[in-house]
Amino acid sequence: MIFSVVIYSAPYTSESAANALRFSQAVVDNGHQIYRLFFFSDGVHNANKLAITPQDEQNLQVTWDSFIRSNKLDSVVCVSSALKRGIIGADEARNHDLDSQSLQASSNISGLGQLVDAHMKSDRVISFG
Amino acid sequence: MSLVLVKSVSPTKKTFTYLSRSAPYGSNRAQVCLDAALATAVFEQIVNYVFLDDGVYQLLKEQNADKIFTKTIGNAMETLELYGIQNIFIEENSLRERNLSIDDLAIKVKILSNKKLAELIDSSDSVINL
């Protein structure tokens, strides 16, 4: 079965971003396919590469990144949600004259059309948060 | 967490039903729901938009959110029609439970019974709950 997963919530505040990650891992582990991960609203914080966690806590952003890379997943961060929350890729940094970037390279910044497309192409779209 | 069921009918055109059930201010859910629905309309899908539970407060007349540094959601609702979304509904019980009537609302909407809402959900390919 083809799944897409939509993540609305930031890591650490509530459990739902971590649940989304564990659900996505279970989808892959059980031989299903993930068409797209879509980070929306506060969910874009999951794609921040500048987060540092204490040694005895899991860094959810790093865990997402390695999960996305190892499974070669399509991971999209909503542009309007991302920019106002400081999730900035190389292009945005250049366009807005900023001296740094924060987006994990495993995710791409794009628009809500990618969410509509995910609904079109997936058997199930599961939302968290 | 909410499960969104998708039935495949046509590969190019699907029916999306948005259930906007959060109050207009205090969280961004009302705005997120509206943004997603407008994007869906831009991509020429069939969109139903339903105001449910505290979501009915989004439609109250004469809102002004300037003092809480946010956009006035009531004004934004007019964009639904501008984007070609004609199926705008309000759930009957949600309105009555809050002692509101259709005259209190800023835009024209169709009243939907709970039973009709169930039918609408059943006939949709995707249901998005926010």
Side-chain angles (χ1 to χ4, degrees), chain B residues 17-127:
Chain B
T17 295
Y18 285 87
L19 304 178
S20 190
R21 61 201 313 167
S22 309
Y25 310 105
S27 85
N28 69 345
R29 296 182 83 86
Q31 186 68 48
V32 166
C33 192
L34 180 65
D35 290 345
L38 297 181
T40 308
V42 167
F43 286 87
E44 297 181 336
Q45 303 303 305
I46 300 157
V47 178
N48 298 311
Y49 207 87
V50 184
F51 294 93
L52 185 66
D53 299 340
D54 276 351
V56 301
Y57 289 125
Q58 295 171 35
L59 292 176
L60 287 182
K61 278 180 189 165
E62 292 167 20
Q63 296 174 42
N64 185 347
D66 288 351
K67 287 188 176 170
I68 53 170
F69 309 114
T70 185
K71 281 199 256 181
T72 303
I73 282 279
N75 300 343
M77 288 308 156
E78 289 167 14
T79 55
L80 283 169
E81 273 199 286
L82 292 175
Y83 279 68
I85 299 172
Q86 287 161 349
N87 294 330
I88 310 170
F89 303 98
I90 193 160
E91 197 267 328
E92 197 175 18
N93 289 338
S94 307
L95 200 59
R96 195 171 45 223
E97 283 163 3
R98 287 161 185 79
N99 202 22
L100 296 171
S101 81
I102 205 95
D103 299 330
D104 298 312
L105 310 180
I107 62 167
K108 269 194 172 175
V109 289
K110 298 165 194 160
I111 293 191
L112 198 65
S113 68
N114 212 284
K115 186 168 171 290
K116 286 280 177 201
L117 174 60
E119 288 171 15
L120 191 73
I121 290 170
D122 192 44
S123 69
S124 304
D125 295 302
S126 284
V127 180

Side-chain angles (χ1 to χ4, degrees), chain A residues 21-123:
Chain A
L21 176 58
R22 293 191 300 117
F23 176 83
S24 303
Q25 282 167 333
V27 167
V28 173
D29 291 347
N30 285 277
H32 299 292
Q33 197 185 327
I34 292 183
Y35 178 72
R36 179 168 295 140
L37 300 172
F38 192 89
F39 295 94
F40 196 4
S41 189
D42 278 349
V44 299
H45 290 298
N46 290 282
N48 185 346
K49 70 174 179 182
L50 299 178
I52 298 162
T53 50
Q55 274 186 349
D56 60 347
E57 283 178 35
Q58 190 183 35
N59 185 319
L60 212 57
Q61 287 97 336
V62 167
T63 315
W64 272 118
D65 181 55
S66 57
F67 171 69
I68 293 164
R69 283 177 194 282
S70 58
N71 294 288
K72 298 187 171 64
L73 297 180
D74 182 21
S75 173
V76 173
V77 173
C78 170
V79 59
S80 56
S81 304
L83 297 193
K84 63 178 145 190
R85 290 173 177 80
I87 306 300
I88 304 292
D91 290 347
E92 293 75 26
R94 198 178 324 108
N95 293 343
H96 297 270
D97 204 18
L98 299 170
D99 63 7
S100 54
Q101 45 181 292
S102 54
L103 177 72
Q104 293 278 21
S106 54
S107 291
N108 297 304
I109 290 187
S110 191
L112 279 169
Q114 300 296 313
L115 177 60
V116 179
D117 176 67
H119 276 276
M120 306 292 289
K121 307 277 174 61
S122 310
D123 298 310

